[in-house]
Amino acid sequence: MTYLKEFKGAVSRTKKLGLGDVTVNETAVVLDQAVLNAIEATGHIPFRQRAVQGLNVNFGMFHMLAKKFHIPGGVLTMGNVAVNGEMRFPVTPAHFRKMVENESGEDALGTYHIWTTLPGGLILDHVLPSILAGDGLLEVDEAVPSERYLYGPADELPHGITYHPMVAGLEFLIASGTVDREAMEYLMGEKFPKQYKG
């Protein structure tokens, strides 16, 4: 099954949970290498620490993509990642439904993976390389910005990596009790981008 088909399934599950109707354009918007490197350069969490701060890192990069660099169409996506067919996070769609029902998202951090889906089914992930490097599955030259993140068509990623989306969109983080609604509205609202100027 292609990534975009799995993503559509995640969108359908998200809608059934009453968490909005998320879409991703099927026409790819390819990001310029200079923009990707600039996004990477704005991250303040050291590469080796990213593996244990997945939400902070990938939400922060998603936020910069949308608010600082004004790249439209990205969708924060939650689910599982496999390396050579081995799932790294033992979660199912029911896991996410329970997080919403029990508002237990904050306690469940680290049980699933979070990344950005870009138009055309491209993946942007600033955390997985840190996880795989820490496990000895990937060699990363930390001095090279493009090695510290993963970017590319989801169905053509290197190292046997496949992404398996289960829910999508910011509303999941609010409904699951992971991020407070007021904080999210501030972060994604019109006032916050001013902090990027100057």
PDB file of all heavy atoms in Angstrom, residues 22-24 62 65-66 71-77 116-119:
ATOM      1  N   VAL A  22      -8.720  16.661   7.632  1.00  0.00           N
ATOM      2  CA  VAL A  22      -7.376  17.022   7.186  1.00  0.00           C
ATOM      3  C   VAL A  22      -7.186  16.524   5.757  1.00  0.00           C
ATOM      4  O   VAL A  22      -7.660  15.449   5.409  1.00  0.00           O
ATOM      5  CB  VAL A  22      -6.333  16.358   8.114  1.00  0.00           C
ATOM      6  CG1 VAL A  22      -4.926  16.682   7.668  1.00  0.00           C
ATOM      7  CG2 VAL A  22      -6.561  16.780   9.551  1.00  0.00           C
ATOM      8  N   THR A  23      -6.480  17.302   4.946  1.00  0.00           N
ATOM      9  CA  THR A  23      -6.177  16.843   3.590  1.00  0.00           C
ATOM     10  C   THR A  23      -4.714  17.129   3.282  1.00  0.00           C
ATOM     11  O   THR A  23      -4.089  17.990   3.902  1.00  0.00           O
ATOM     12  CB  THR A  23      -7.034  17.562   2.529  1.00  0.00           C
ATOM     13  OG1 THR A  23      -6.802  18.967   2.635  1.00  0.00           O
ATOM     14  CG2 THR A  23      -8.506  17.265   2.717  1.00  0.00           C
ATOM     15  N   VAL A  24      -4.184  16.401   2.335  1.00  0.00           N
ATOM     16  CA  VAL A  24      -2.850  16.713   1.816  1.00  0.00           C
ATOM     17  C   VAL A  24      -2.954  16.655   0.296  1.00  0.00           C
ATOM     18  O   VAL A  24      -3.561  15.746  -0.264  1.00  0.00           O
ATOM     19  CB  VAL A  24      -1.766  15.754   2.365  1.00  0.00           C
ATOM     20  CG1 VAL A  24      -1.878  14.375   1.766  1.00  0.00           C
ATOM     21  CG2 VAL A  24      -0.381  16.311   2.144  1.00  0.00           C
ATOM     22  N   PHE A  62       7.862  21.649  12.368  1.00  0.00           N
ATOM     23  CA  PHE A  62       6.601  21.863  11.647  1.00  0.00           C
ATOM     24  C   PHE A  62       6.184  23.333  11.780  1.00  0.00           C
ATOM     25  O   PHE A  62       5.784  23.971  10.807  1.00  0.00           O
ATOM     26  CB  PHE A  62       5.521  20.934  12.217  1.00  0.00           C
ATOM     27  CG  PHE A  62       4.134  21.263  11.755  1.00  0.00           C
ATOM     28  CD1 PHE A  62       3.674  20.813  10.520  1.00  0.00           C
ATOM     29  CD2 PHE A  62       3.276  22.014  12.545  1.00  0.00           C
ATOM     30  CE1 PHE A  62       2.393  21.110  10.089  1.00  0.00           C
ATOM     31  CE2 PHE A  62       1.994  22.318  12.119  1.00  0.00           C
ATOM     32  CZ  PHE A  62       1.554  21.866  10.883  1.00  0.00           C
ATOM     33  N   LEU A  65       8.358  25.555   9.663  1.00  0.00           N
ATOM     34  CA  LEU A  65       8.015  25.349   8.266  1.00  0.00           C
ATOM     35  C   LEU A  65       6.805  26.205   7.885  1.00  0.00           C
ATOM     36  O   LEU A  65       6.798  26.884   6.861  1.00  0.00           O
ATOM     37  CB  LEU A  65       7.697  23.867   8.048  1.00  0.00           C
ATOM     38  CG  LEU A  65       7.523  23.369   6.633  1.00  0.00           C
ATOM     39  CD1 LEU A  65       8.869  23.268   5.938  1.00  0.00           C
ATOM     40  CD2 LEU A  65       6.852  22.001   6.648  1.00  0.00           C
ATOM     41  N   ALA A  66       5.782  26.186   8.755  1.00  0.00           N
ATOM     42  CA  ALA A  66       4.539  26.904   8.465  1.00  0.00           C
ATOM     43  C   ALA A  66       4.633  28.396   8.750  1.00  0.00           C
ATOM     44  O   ALA A  66       4.164  29.215   7.956  1.00  0.00           O
ATOM     45  CB  ALA A  66       3.395  26.294   9.281  1.00  0.00           C
ATOM     46  N   ILE A  71       5.710  27.671   4.285  1.00  0.00           N
ATOM     47  CA  ILE A  71       5.509  26.558   3.362  1.00  0.00           C
ATOM     48  C   ILE A  71       4.135  25.974   3.661  1.00  0.00           C
ATOM     49  O   ILE A  71       3.896  25.460   4.752  1.00  0.00           O
ATOM     50  CB  ILE A  71       6.596  25.469   3.542  1.00  0.00           C
ATOM     51  CG1 ILE A  71       8.008  26.076   3.438  1.00  0.00           C
ATOM     52  CG2 ILE A  71       6.382  24.325   2.565  1.00  0.00           C
ATOM     53  CD1 ILE A  71       8.396  26.622   2.105  1.00  0.00           C
ATOM     54  N   PRO A  72       3.199  26.048   2.719  1.00  0.00           N
ATOM     55  CA  PRO A  72       1.840  25.575   2.986  1.00  0.00           C
ATOM     56  C   PRO A  72       1.689  24.069   2.784  1.00  0.00           C
ATOM     57  O   PRO A  72       2.504  23.435   2.112  1.00  0.00           O
ATOM     58  CB  PRO A  72       1.014  26.321   1.927  1.00  0.00           C
ATOM     59  CG  PRO A  72       1.959  26.442   0.771  1.00  0.00           C
ATOM     60  CD  PRO A  72       3.329  26.625   1.376  1.00  0.00           C
ATOM     61  N   GLY A  73       0.641  23.528   3.388  1.00  0.00           N
ATOM     62  CA  GLY A  73       0.227  22.165   3.080  1.00  0.00           C
ATOM     63  C   GLY A  73       0.815  21.063   3.930  1.00  0.00           C
ATOM     64  O   GLY A  73       0.491  19.898   3.738  1.00  0.00           O
ATOM     65  N   GLY A  74       1.691  21.385   4.877  1.00  0.00           N
ATOM     66  CA  GLY A  74       2.232  20.352   5.752  1.00  0.00           C
ATOM     67  C   GLY A  74       1.197  19.905   6.771  1.00  0.00           C
ATOM     68  O   GLY A  74       0.386  20.706   7.233  1.00  0.00           O
ATOM     69  N   VAL A  75       1.225  18.625   7.118  1.00  0.00           N
ATOM     70  CA  VAL A  75       0.289  18.074   8.106  1.00  0.00           C
ATOM     71  C   VAL A  75       1.084  17.294   9.147  1.00  0.00           C
ATOM     72  O   VAL A  75       1.813  16.355   8.800  1.00  0.00           O
ATOM     73  CB  VAL A  75      -0.749  17.135   7.440  1.00  0.00           C
ATOM     74  CG1 VAL A  75      -1.676  16.533   8.486  1.00  0.00           C
ATOM     75  CG2 VAL A  75      -1.540  17.873   6.376  1.00  0.00           C
ATOM     76  N   LEU A  76       0.947  17.679  10.405  1.00  0.00           N
ATOM     77  CA  LEU A  76       1.583  16.916  11.466  1.00  0.00           C
ATOM     78  C   LEU A  76       0.894  15.556  11.528  1.00  0.00           C
ATOM     79  O   LEU A  76      -0.342  15.464  11.532  1.00  0.00           O
ATOM     80  CB  LEU A  76       1.441  17.655  12.792  1.00  0.00           C
ATOM     81  CG  LEU A  76       2.574  17.475  13.782  1.00  0.00           C
ATOM     82  CD1 LEU A  76       3.913  17.861  13.175  1.00  0.00           C
ATOM     83  CD2 LEU A  76       2.334  18.274  15.045  1.00  0.00           C
ATOM     84  N   THR A  77       1.681  14.500  11.539  1.00  0.00           N
ATOM     85  CA  THR A  77       1.160  13.142  11.383  1.00  0.00           C
ATOM     86  C   THR A  77       1.703  12.255  12.496  1.00  0.00           C
ATOM     87  O   THR A  77       2.865  12.350  12.861  1.00  0.00           O
ATOM     88  CB  THR A  77       1.587  12.587  10.004  1.00  0.00           C
ATOM     89  OG1 THR A  77       1.247  13.538   8.989  1.00  0.00           O
ATOM     90  CG2 THR A  77       0.906  11.269   9.707  1.00  0.00           C
ATOM     91  N   THR A 116       6.130  15.265   9.827  1.00  0.00           N
ATOM     92  CA  THR A 116       5.357  16.126   8.935  1.00  0.00           C
ATOM     93  C   THR A 116       5.181  15.433   7.592  1.00  0.00           C
ATOM     94  O   THR A 116       6.143  14.957   6.997  1.00  0.00           O
ATOM     95  CB  THR A 116       6.055  17.484   8.729  1.00  0.00           C
ATOM     96  OG1 THR A 116       6.159  18.152   9.991  1.00  0.00           O
ATOM     97  CG2 THR A 116       5.267  18.369   7.770  1.00  0.00           C
ATOM     98  N   THR A 117       3.915  15.380   7.141  1.00  0.00           N
ATOM     99  CA  THR A 117       3.602  14.925   5.788  1.00  0.00           C
ATOM    100  C   THR A 117       3.436  16.171   4.937  1.00  0.00           C
ATOM    101  O   THR A 117       2.655  17.063   5.276  1.00  0.00           O
ATOM    102  CB  THR A 117       2.305  14.094   5.757  1.00  0.00           C
ATOM    103  OG1 THR A 117       2.456  12.949   6.594  1.00  0.00           O
ATOM    104  CG2 THR A 117       1.974  13.653   4.342  1.00  0.00           C
ATOM    105  N   LEU A 118       4.164  16.230   3.839  1.00  0.00           N
ATOM    106  CA  LEU A 118       4.092  17.364   2.925  1.00  0.00           C
ATOM    107  C   LEU A 118       3.334  16.957   1.664  1.00  0.00           C
ATOM    108  O   LEU A 118       3.186  15.761   1.382  1.00  0.00           O
ATOM    109  CB  LEU A 118       5.505  17.813   2.563  1.00  0.00           C
ATOM    110  CG  LEU A 118       6.284  18.425   3.741  1.00  0.00           C
ATOM    111  CD1 LEU A 118       7.770  18.419   3.452  1.00  0.00           C
ATOM    112  CD2 LEU A 118       5.789  19.840   4.011  1.00  0.00           C
ATOM    113  N   PRO A 119       2.814  17.928   0.913  1.00  0.00           N
ATOM    114  CA  PRO A 119       2.089  17.603  -0.316  1.00  0.00           C
ATOM    115  C   PRO A 119       2.852  16.611  -1.191  1.00  0.00           C
ATOM    116  O   PRO A 119       4.077  16.688  -1.313  1.00  0.00           O
ATOM    117  CB  PRO A 119       1.951  18.969  -1.001  1.00  0.00           C
ATOM    118  CG  PRO A 119       1.886  19.938   0.146  1.00  0.00           C
ATOM    119  CD  PRO A 119       2.852  19.383   1.166  1.00  0.00           C
TER     120      PRO A 119
END
